[in-house]
Amino acid sequence: MNSHPLVELDCPFLPEGFSAGEANEFVIVVGFLTDGRVFFVQPAGDSRSWELPGGALEAGETATDAAKREFHEETGRHLGDSIEVARIRNMLVDGRVHSHASLVAGLAADGGEERLTGNEIIACRAFPELPTSTTFDGEWLRQLVDLAKAHLQRHLNRRMWNETAEYYDLVTTCSKEEVHYGPLLPGESRLRLLPDLRGSRVLDVGCGSGHNLAAMRHAGASAGLGIDFSAEQVARARHLLNDPAFPIWVADMTDLPTTDVGYFDAALSVFALQFAADLRHVIAWIAGALRPAGLLVIAMDHPSRVGNWRGEYLEISDWFHSRTRTRNWSIPDREPLPYFHHLHSLPALIDAMADNGLGVERILEPQALPPDEVHSAPQSSPYFVSRYEELRRVPYAIIVRARKVLS
């Protein structure tokens, strides 16, 4: 079930060889591998080049069922975690509708080399970028791939948190009296990043189950707003705060709700930006919601997380670039849940702040608390305690405090 209405698109051009006739229903499939590559196939025929997999719906099929069938027939792979993204009207040059198509996105099962299962497809390949030669217009295909990627990322990330929220709260300790900035890290009582919150209006973007918002209320904030894309997390946050002065909204960071400009005195976002593909959009929205001289504190994954901890050292192949990777969240007695992790670079964050009138005041790389204080950290869990040596030697979080420049 989709959380957002389907996007409506018109394809204003069809390749030569398509003719008007009885309207048909088709499916177009964007199948991603976990490394971000997208499958394209080359059908038989002199006028055909690389295309996205797909075909006509059979009687009684839903779009997602047809997508799974066509994708397997044309690539030999199974399509999982599929979601219908858009409805497309295929238009002829004379303005008539030739047919309709559903755009479906999903994750292709990892496996061996691609194989062909019929005579209609003469080649199949997963491309990191669009193929140079395509049957359909390249910019049109890029639009479809980008749209499918954005919707699939939001769908899987939201589903992951909805289904793991209860378990996460069960195994993770988060303080309701002190703002936390990451696992096993010092909290606000030591880092002192927020202003005096007494009587202030505060914002928590990616608030999860509401612990930091409750902590800001405990510090004297008189009103606040929490935003999170997980309905399950929001339900938990509402139960925790139970305060009309601190409403919690279900909203995706790519589609943030309208709020009063310049309303909030302080804004906080702790380990939420890894679920936002469009960093600039989120920073621009927060900047608009802050009053002049309002303060923003962001804690996010440290750029060192592009590497792999080898027990004694960190192995890194590329430090500088933002990247998106597919990961799995595992909880006992169930299949791992895939999700998309957006690892933003520090320059990308700083540039987004500067471009939206936010002046950086402090940048911190906090070390994990000493061994005798770990179990009293504002945020802790057995999982992170098991990674203690890594967190004492390699920064897990980077924290940036910025202030809205007076205009």
Side-chain angles (χ1 to χ4, degrees), residues 29-63:
V29 190
V30 184
F32 295 95
L33 285 171
T34 55
D35 61 9
R37 288 181 295 159
V38 179
F39 279 95
F40 283 82
V41 296
Q42 187 172 2
D46 294 340
S47 63
R48 308 293 285 270
S49 185
W50 291 107
E51 303 175 8
L52 290 167
L57 271 69
E58 295 180 353
E61 275 190 319
T62 66

Side-chain angles (χ1 to χ4, degrees), residues 174-186:
C174 292
S175 174
K176 301 186 293 290
E177 288 77 39
E178 180 176 7
V179 169
H180 67 268
Y181 294 108
L184 310 188
L185 301 182

Side-chain angles (χ1 to χ4, degrees), residues 196-231:
D196 184 348
L197 294 179
R198 286 176 292 184
S200 64
R201 297 177 295 216
V202 297
L203 170 68
D204 190 351
V205 178
C207 67
S209 51
H211 293 89
N212 271 343
L213 197 58
M216 288 191 286
R217 182 179 64 177
H218 181 76
S222 60
L225 172 65
I227 294 174
D228 201 274
F229 65 0
S230 165

